[in-house]
Amino acid sequence: MADEPLVLGIETSCDETGVGVVRGTTLLADAVASSVDEHARFGGVVPEVASRAHLEAMVPTIDRALKEAGVTAGDLDGIAVTAGPGLAGALLVGVSAAKAYAYALGKPLYGVNHLASHICVDQLEHGPLPEPTMALLVSGGHSSLLLSEDITSDVRPMGATIDDAAGEAFDKIARVLNLGFPGGPVIDRYAREGDPGAIAFPRGLTGPRDPAYDFSFSGLKTAVARWIEARRAAGEEVPVRDVAASFQEAVVDVLTRKAVRACKDQGVDHLMIGGGVAANSRLRVLAQERCEAAGIRLRVPRPKLCTDNGAMVAALGAEMVSRNRAASDWDLSADSSLPVTDPHVPGQAHAHAHEAGTENLYS
Ligand code: KG4
Ligand code: ZN
């Protein structure tokens, strides 16, 4: 529909400069410039390298997205940008660019939450998000279970990792196996030819007294590394495919078990999975099996929308416009630890209303 809001979204929380253009819940463009190759030799993302790469990629990526969408900057109804959480310096590049464009064009600015964007992106694939929806977000930087009652105003944390993120565990095990960075895709590939039951690796935080929705991957990581070291010390060959498959099974078993349990406990019958690890082929299969068995509808966007991208930010921005949420002020700042309970950063008038305890903040 032509009267649906046309929004450009900018995402720079990590190593991907993402710029997306969305009309309502329709994806028009998703341009990404990645600096992943520049970080590969360090085995992880180097914040300063990422910030510089964002700066260089920003204007060309915005131009590319607008062109791909077949719209001009003047047509836009708003500019959305990831305000946090993420790497402070990297976020700052996106926030500064978004402010400059919004101010110059006279368009409203929406500073939005990276995690809420990961959830909202599914609207571009499967249509409007049911309310409530349980979301399992698993990437290199986060592993959390979130309950979204309203993606623009009410997102509640159910559980999170207490140590490593799921993707981080994939990256670290890939490094131990000398498979390169990022580790997820390559472990996924090797695992397809391995036996997931070959080695019984531990399932973190699954004991009866453990927190039901929190995750821990550091014990698993150590167990896998020790297992590999022991083989190497004994001069035995490491069965890379079996290790990859068994490690991956331990991760996705816990993720899906806890996500389905959270849905059942809360009476929520829609589960979405997002973040880079949602690209994992075994996670998708096991989640589908377990959701079906529990009568839960599973929504997983295609891999390109699961990893960090600008379209997800545009999707949440468009939702903010559609639901008349307050735009951000010109002094919007990047907040590297923006809480997930803040799906966006509304302007000061609303912040003061909030301080005064005014009900109905967004109406
Ligand atoms: O969402 P994302 O692109 O960036 C953030 O970390 O925010 O996620 C990247 C993470 C990396 O840790 C990568 O190893 C992991 O997602 N990943 C995967 C797969 N593809 C990417 N993990 C498991 N299986 C995959 N197929
Ligand atoms: Zn992310």
Side-chain angles (χ1 to χ4, degrees):
M1 271 188 292
D3 57 354
E4 284 187 302
L6 180 69
V7 173
L8 178 122
I10 300 175
E11 151 62 38
T12 62
S13 69
C14 193
D15 60 338
E16 238 105 52
T17 313
V19 182
V21 180
V22 158
R23 189 184 294 280
T25 58
T26 307
L27 174 67
L28 301 183
D30 182 17
V32 182
S34 175
S35 61
V36 67
D37 295 343
E38 295 171 51
H39 305 286
R41 67 194 173 100
F42 302 106
V45 175
V46 183
E48 284 310 314
V49 173
S51 303
R52 173 160 299 253
H54 287 311
L55 204 53
E56 286 167 1
M58 186 56 64
V59 174
T61 311
I62 289 177
D63 288 347
R64 195 147 54 84
L66 289 170
K67 197 169 165 211
E68 201 180 302
V71 300
T72 65
D75 299 334
L76 298 169
D77 296 306
I79 307 236
V81 62
T82 305
L87 301 170
L91 288 168
L92 209 54
V93 178
V95 168
S96 306
K99 280 189 203 175
Y101 274 85
Y103 191 77
L105 294 162
K107 309 285 182 190
L109 171 74
Y110 296 88
V112 303
N113 188 297
H114 180 80
L115 299 180
S117 303
H118 265 303
I119 303 174
C120 195
V121 74
D122 191 52
Q123 300 207 131
L124 305 178
E125 178 109 22
H126 298 111
L129 266 184
E131 293 171 347
T133 290
M134 190 67 69
L136 170 67
L137 294 187
V138 274
S139 75
H142 24 264
S143 302
S144 32
L145 261 176
L146 304 167
L147 177 57
S148 167
E149 296 278 358
D150 174 338
I151 196 59
T152 61
S153 67
D154 187 357
V155 180
R156 299 173 200 170
M158 303 290 298
T161 179
I162 60 165
D163 39 59
D164 294 350
E168 213 176 339
F170 274 92
D171 295 335
K172 285 177 179 169
I173 294 306
R175 187 152 29 152
V176 178
L177 289 169
N178 300 317
L179 298 178
F181 173 85
V186 59
I187 293 212
D188 194 345
R189 224 162 37 240
Y190 274 91
R192 274 175 220 171
E193 293 160 21
D195 174 6
I199 311 152
F201 288 130
R203 268 62 171 162
L205 292 188
T206 50
R209 287 204 207 96
D210 288 328
Y213 311 134
D214 285 333
F215 305 104
S216 167
F217 298 108
S218 119
L220 168 64
K221 191 186 67 190
T222 308
V224 177
R226 290 232 175 94
W227 194 93
I228 295 168
E229 274 161 31
R231 290 298 165 295
R232 284 182 181 148
E236 291 170 26
E237 203 175 311
V238 176
V240 177
R241 289 170 175 76
D242 285 348
V243 173
S246 301
F247 157 75
Q248 176 177 278
E249 195 66 16
V251 175
V252 306
D253 176 25
V254 175
L255 291 176
T256 52
R257 214 191 295 178
K258 294 201 175 210
V260 167
R261 163 126 188 235
C263 289
K264 280 187 181 166
D265 291 353
Q266 305 294 321
V268 174
D269 53 13
H270 287 87
L271 172 67
M272 83 77 58
I273 307 184
V277 181
N280 187 270
S281 57
R282 179 64 186 145
L283 175 60
R284 288 176 171 247
V285 169
L286 193 59
Q288 186 58 48
E289 272 174 32
R290 290 184 171 173
C291 280
E292 252 170 53
I296 297 164
R297 295 283 292 275
L298 178 67
R299 296 166 61 116
V300 194
R302 60 185 174 274
K304 186 154 189 257
L305 294 180
C306 285
T307 55
D308 291 351
N309 63 79
M312 67 188 203
V313 178
L316 184 52
E319 203 55 42
M320 294 294 170
V321 177
S322 295
R323 298 198 186 201
N324 288 316
R325 299 303 182 219
S328 301
D329 285 337
W330 295 119
D331 65 355
L332 170 73
S333 52
D335 180 351
S336 59
S337 52
L338 184 69
V340 69
T341 44
D342 292 345
H344 79 310
V345 184
Q348 276 306 305
H350 290 256
H352 291 317
H354 188 50
E355 276 158 26
T358 309
E359 293 293 325
N360 242 339
L361 184 60
Y362 300 105
S363 62

